[in-house]
Amino acid sequence: MAVTRRELIKSAAVGGGGLVVGGVIGKTVLGGGGAAGPAAQPTATGLPQDALAIAKQRNLNPGDIVAALKTYTPSGKLDTHYLFASGGHSGQVWVYGIPSMRILKVIPVFSHSSYQGWGYSDESLEILKRGQVNGKLTTWGDTHHPALSETKGDYDGQFLFINDKAGGRIAVIDLRDFMTKQIVKNPLIIDDHGGTFVTPNTEYVIESCQYSTPLGWSYAPLDEYKDKYRGAVTFWKFDRQKGRIDPAQSWSMELPPYFQDLADSGKLASDGWAFINSFNTEMATGGDAEGKPPMEVGASQRDMDYLHVINWKKAEQVVSEGMVDTVNGMRLIRMDMAVKHGLLYLIPEPKSPHGVDVAPKGDYIVVSGKLDPHVTVYSFKKIQDAIAKGSFDQDSYGLPIIRFDDAMEAQVQLGLGPLHTQFDNQGFGYTSLFLESAVARWSLGAPYRQDGWKLAGKVPIQYNVGHVAAVCGDTVNPLGAYLVSLNKWSLDRFAPTGPHHTVNLQLVDISRPEGMQVLYDVPTPDGEPHYAQIIPADRVKPVLVYPEVGWSAVTWSKDPNATAKGKERVVRNGSKVEVFMTAVRSHYTPDVVSVRQGDTVVWHITNIETARNASHGFALPGYNLGVVTDPGQTLTVTFQADTAGTYPFYCTEFCSALHLEMMGYFLVQA
Ligand code: RUQ
Ligand code: CUA
């Protein structure tokens, strides 16, 4: 039945959005009242149509309504910021929009994604293979810390780096198409944690070890821990022109087998330096079955662990002069060289430290001890003065230890279980309090604020907050506005879904001097984000279709196997069959491919669409193959036709009204 324009208008007038919005703005919220009349009748949702009546029935208080108005993003309106969050042991990266907290994309990195064909195309498999660990194709990861590329200490929106704690690996994602382009395996360490952090012009991507092993993780018994086990930090050289890490230009520094933890790069005042904290300077190795203290007890005996302070500019010099060993192909500065050339210093830091965060001007370094109610603030100037003065203590490896009182600027009591700190544009720091389930706001001393180092407020968080991320909150120009707390436990926040609970991300308004306000909760569907970064959306400039038809997302140039319309073909060469196929709504050309059992099939697919959104999938049941081509993209799948049979292939993306007809036959004759 055709609907007339008049009927449309009439239906809109009775129940439609226009009237209700008018009611909210014009009458209910601003003007009050207005619960009478037909709009007040409950609908099938059980809710009345009048805004104030809805608020009343849903038990929304004025704060809730303000939060809703600050986050609600009407259909068709875009978010103003991107949040790039690690996906924890999903091995992926997630992209959210702020303030709506809508999930925009999952970027497959270390793990397969059948939705995006990641790990099934030759191109993505090749990237995963280069990142193999111990010669094993490693199809998952534990992503922790995303780092946006920086220019002069500000996010430039070009690249994103992410580490895999479980594999000691780093990935490079190009934000032109939000795709992973490279995975590098660290040849010295089997796991990492202090990655990724970039130097202010993305000269280097920093990755440091977590759990010590002999370098290259060769075997050594635990009673040789002190002599044979080591930590390490790697400075991966980033080639911005190529958009790739260059392992040949990268180098590492040997560190003591203290479990290195979070890291941060110096900037402005401290440009050229890097900071890494550590725990287990006790060098505990477990052994509870033999009557030794359990690992976590053994690793928490001392009151102080060590902040590692590294002069990477000078280290770069030492590397270029060849004063290095080469271990597994990686240039390595040994500890004795580091001491000799003044590249590495330690500073005591209290008490099972976790986060280390450099303040926006690079002048202060903030360390959080998980078992200490304070954050400890070190002055970079004091550190430099202590180095110049040259009176140090020494650890058992002969590394110089700067005395705590010589380097410490302030200790600010915040609460229980401080972990990670971000900054805003008002001279405040924001520190997660894990044990207290809160975020503390505190004022930095001069030159940031005149009111001195002190706590300035807290907001409760649901629950067990790990990292926090504020807008550009770890750059030289933090912008304040929003903070997202990445909470480990959600407990009672969401409708239950069985015993495995989701993680909870909370959006917090930090723009108001009078206090912070939690605006919105969002459950994460598949992983545990550790760190995240927030960038204004207009700094990221992705392409909407690939620049030319026949484009390789990997080489960012025309793919030699691109197939133009009309040039589709099947080429047999002995037992190798090469298919040059195009995909366009709603057809594959060719749509019948016949081979003989045992043939090697190399199947090139070019999506010849130039229209935004017109992606086509390619599913080949029976061969465990499923890939997706985006508009303009060419990719390849190679496989052995090892099992005879009749295999319909089809498009997995509902691309058109004739999407179901977008299929063909792959015939394998015995
Ligand atoms: S972290 S556990 Cu950044 Cu607090 Cu990895
Ligand atoms: Cu192409 Cu569905």
Side-chain angles (χ1 to χ4, degrees):
M1 190 184 76
V3 182
T4 63
R5 189 178 154 76
R6 176 184 294 191
E7 283 172 295
L8 267 178
I9 292 168
K10 193 174 152 204
S11 81
V14 173
L19 261 195
V20 177
V21 169
V24 171
I25 303 300
K27 251 160 57 177
T28 314
V29 171
L30 299 181
Q41 293 305 310
T43 64
T45 60
L47 293 175
Q49 289 291 51
D50 173 81
L52 190 61
I54 294 172
K56 205 168 157 200
Q57 185 162 328
R58 294 193 69 208
N59 260 325
L60 304 180
N61 64 39
D64 296 332
I65 294 169
V66 167
L69 293 175
K70 284 180 178 172
T71 53
Y72 176 66
T73 306
S75 180
K77 291 258 158 56
L78 305 187
D79 284 300
T80 52
H81 297 75
Y82 290 107
L83 172 86
F84 290 94
S86 73
H89 44 291
S90 77
Q92 320 289 43
V93 164
W94 297 347
V95 189
Y96 293 79
I98 289 178
S100 74
M101 294 304 281
R102 295 178 293 195
I103 297 176
L104 304 177
K105 187 176 174 72
V106 175
I107 305 174
V109 186
F110 299 105
S111 306
H112 282 63
S113 159
S114 55
Y115 173 52
Q116 294 175 66
W118 185 253
Y120 301 92
S121 66
D122 287 9
E123 290 84 354
S124 57
L125 252 182
E126 180 61 27
I127 290 168
L128 288 170
K129 277 184 188 155
R130 295 216 177 165
Q132 62 190 7
V133 184
N134 256 3
K136 294 179 182 67
L137 184 67
T138 302
T139 54
W140 74 285
D142 183 11
T143 58
H144 273 241
H145 307 106
L148 287 155
S149 55
E150 295 181 10
T151 299
K152 294 189 179 148
D154 262 327
Y155 302 152
D156 55 38
Q158 292 184 356
F159 297 95
L160 184 78
F161 308 94
I162 184 89
N163 70 314
D164 164 26
K165 167 166 169 164
R169 300 184 290 173
I170 300 289
V172 180
I173 295 161
D174 190 330
L175 294 180
R176 285 178 298 189
D177 60 353
F178 284 53
M179 246 182 70
T180 303
K181 302 293 159 132
Q182 184 184 28
I183 297 175
V184 291
K185 170 73 198 100
N186 195 310
L188 301 178
I189 58 180
I190 183 91
D191 61 79
D192 68 28
H193 189 247
T196 51
F197 299 92
V198 297
T199 53
N201 285 301
T202 323
E203 299 94 338
Y204 290 104
V205 183
I206 302 173
E207 179 193 25
S208 54
C209 178
Q210 177 114 80
Y211 306 123
S212 309
T213 65
L215 292 179
W217 62 97
S218 54
Y219 173 77
L222 284 167
D223 53 19
E224 296 175 13
Y225 188 87
K226 183 164 183 283
D227 291 335
K228 299 252 172 88
Y229 285 56
R230 289 292 178 268
V233 56
T234 298
F235 289 78
W236 291 104
K237 181 80 187 162
F238 185 61
D239 182 334
R240 196 188 282 264
Q241 229 47 49
K242 294 203 176 96
R244 298 290 187 276
I245 282 170
D246 183 353
Q249 298 301 315
S250 306
W251 50 270
S252 300
M253 184 183 289
E254 180 187 42
L255 299 175
Y258 311 147
F259 290 172
Q260 281 80 30
D261 203 27
L262 262 280
D264 202 359
S265 166
K267 50 194 162 210
L268 298 177
S270 53
D271 190 9
W273 293 73
F275 307 90
I276 309 172
N277 57 24
S278 63
F279 61 99
N280 195 22
T281 51
E282 297 84 350
M283 298 191 275
T285 57
D288 50 1
E290 300 144 36
K292 294 189 196 152
M295 192 66 214
E296 78 282 12
V297 176
S300 311
Q301 306 285 308
R302 303 180 42 176
D303 280 337
M304 295 280 192
D305 292 290
Y306 294 125
L307 177 66
H308 299 45
V309 178
I310 295 174
N311 185 342
W312 66 258
K313 270 270 160 67
K314 203 162 168 195
E316 194 178 46
Q317 198 60 36
V318 165
V319 172
S320 74
E321 287 164 21
M323 290 180 273
V324 288
D325 285 351
T326 299
V327 178
N328 292 347
M330 167 69 73
R331 294 176 297 172
L332 177 73
I333 304 174
R334 294 286 183 186
M335 280 195 283
D336 54 355
M337 273 293 159
V339 174
K340 184 171 161 204
H341 293 279
L343 311 180
L344 172 62
Y345 302 90
L346 305 177
I347 309 177
E349 49 177 3
K351 177 83 195 157
S352 300
H354 189 44
V356 52
D357 299 283
V358 177
K361 298 179 198 298
D363 44 2
Y364 296 116
I365 299 111
V366 179
V367 166
S368 305
K370 301 185 289 267
L371 304 179
D372 179 45
H374 303 87
V375 286
T376 300
V377 181
Y378 299 90
S379 149
F380 184 71
K381 168 141 194 336
K382 287 185 179 177
I383 293 172
Q384 293 309 305
D385 291 348
I387 291 172
K389 220 168 57 192
S391 73
F392 305 115
D393 297 330
Q394 260 187 8
D395 81 340
S396 61
Y397 293 94
L399 301 183
I401 303 173
I402 297 168
R403 286 184 198 104
F404 181 75
D405 290 330
D406 289 349
M408 194 266 286
E409 176 76 22
Q411 289 194 290
V412 191
Q413 184 162 349
L414 298 183
L416 301 178
L419 292 187
H420 301 288
T421 299
Q422 293 267 294
F423 302 94
D424 73 1
N425 52 353
Q426 306 294 319
F428 289 115
Y430 295 83
T431 300
S432 51
L433 301 174
F434 178 82
L435 296 175
E436 207 174 308
S437 284
V439 172
R441 166 194 269 169
W442 52 283
S443 77
L444 279 70
Y448 295 91
R449 291 183 70 82
Q450 296 318 314
D451 38 1
W453 303 97
K454 62 170 199 245
L455 180 65
K458 282 187 197 179
V459 64
I461 283 301
Q462 290 74 34
Y463 303 90
N464 298 3
V465 50
H467 279 270
V468 286
V471 181
C472 302
D474 58 4
T475 70
V476 297
N477 285 310
L479 296 176
Y482 299 109
L483 177 134
V484 171
S485 74
L486 298 97
N487 307 325
K488 305 300 185 185
W489 282 22
S490 57
L491 293 177
D492 55 4
R493 289 292 111 169
F494 304 110
T497 53
H500 195 86
H501 284 50
T502 171
V503 160
N504 184 17
L505 304 194
Q506 287 184 305
L507 179 69
V508 183
D509 181 350
I510 56 168
S511 67
R512 307 176 316 154
E514 63 274 24
M516 298 171 273
Q517 185 193 6
V518 172
L519 298 178
Y520 200 64
D521 288 18
V522 69
T524 58
D526 186 34
E528 181 194 301
H530 288 262
Y531 188 40
Q533 290 183 330
I534 306 174
I535 180 174
D538 59 10
R539 286 199 212 170
V540 182
K541 304 209 159 40
V543 299
L544 303 178
V545 299
Y546 281 107
E548 273 179 57
V549 169
W551 201 253
S552 161
V554 177
T555 62
W556 208 258
S557 59
K558 189 95 175 194
D559 192 302
N561 297 307
T563 308
K565 190 175 166 58
K567 295 278 163 53
E568 300 90 347
R569 62 206 184 272
V570 177
V571 181
R572 172 176 285 279
N573 201 334
S575 63
K576 181 179 165 194
V577 177
E578 210 164 349
V579 183
F580 295 85
M581 189 173 89
T582 59
V584 68
R585 280 162 291 169
S586 305
H587 198 77
Y588 297 115
T589 310
D591 59 8
V592 176
V593 174
S594 300
V595 303
R596 286 189 289 271
Q597 185 174 8
D599 285 344
T600 299
V601 181
V602 184
W603 202 311
H604 310 290
I605 307 163
T606 299
N607 178 334
I608 57 172
E609 303 269 4
T610 52
R612 189 170 164 172
N613 226 142
S615 300
H616 297 289
F618 174 77
L620 185 53
Y623 279 89
N624 190 34
L625 284 173
V627 294
V628 173
T629 54
D630 295 317
Q633 188 181 8
T634 294
L635 55 72
T636 298
V637 286
T638 301
F639 61 99
Q640 300 298 319
D642 52 13
T643 311
T646 300
Y647 303 100
F649 58 83
Y650 69 94
C651 174
T652 45
E653 301 257 336
F654 205 114
C655 52
S656 72
L658 295 178
H659 152 78
L660 293 174
E661 288 79 355
M662 188 166 176
M663 63 82 65
Y665 280 101
F666 177 55
L667 301 166
V668 184
Q669 197 182 351

